[in-house]
């Protein structure tokens, strides 16, 4: 059991490092203009899903670094969740 806990802790630490690099890449393309998750992906060049962007942005929204807003969709039908610097 101890070996499994150690291995799991190492895996979490590695995943955390990967996520930190992704967050830094997303933060680099954020601006005062709200952008949807898809626009952030296109601007950053990352190959992750839109859902992963939302998951990575959540802690930044909670600590006040990033503001969550509504953005008009590119096809003009409806609104999407957007992110911008707070």
């Amino acid at each position: 059991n101890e070996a499994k806990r150690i291995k799991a802790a190492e895996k979490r630490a590695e995943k955390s490092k990967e996520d930190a690099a992704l967050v830094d890449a997303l933060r680099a393309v954020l601006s005062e203009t709200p952008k949807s998750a898809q626009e952030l992906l296109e601007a950053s060049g990352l190959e992750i899903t839109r859902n992963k962007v939302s998951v990575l942005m959540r802690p930044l929204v909670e600590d006040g670094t990033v503001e969550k807003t509504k953005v008009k969709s590119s096809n003009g039908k409806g609104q999407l969740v957007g992110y911008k610097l707070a």
Side-chain angles (χ1 to χ4, degrees):
N1 280 345
E2 186 64 29
K4 284 184 180 181
R5 276 198 296 272
I6 292 171
K7 189 173 181 178
E10 289 172 354
K11 193 172 182 179
R12 278 193 306 270
E14 185 177 322
K15 185 76 170 155
S16 179
K17 286 180 190 176
E18 291 173 11
D19 286 352
L22 295 173
V23 168
D24 289 341
L26 290 170
R27 192 180 291 163
V29 297
L30 282 170
S31 65
E32 295 295 323
T33 306
K35 294 181 181 174
S36 69
Q38 186 63 41
E39 291 169 331
L40 289 172
L41 281 174
E42 291 169 0
S44 66
L46 297 174
E47 294 190 15
I48 57 176
T49 64
R50 290 188 307 267
N51 288 344
K52 181 73 172 179
V53 172
S54 297
V55 169
L56 294 171
M57 289 286 112
R58 189 174 300 130
L60 299 177
V61 170
E62 289 172 357
D63 73 11
T65 307
V66 174
E67 191 176 315
K68 196 172 177 179
T69 62
K70 296 285 184 182
V71 180
K72 199 171 207 173
S73 67
S74 58
N75 65 6
K77 298 179 181 178
Q79 292 185 334
L80 304 170
V81 174
Y83 300 96
K84 69 176 188 172
L85 291 175

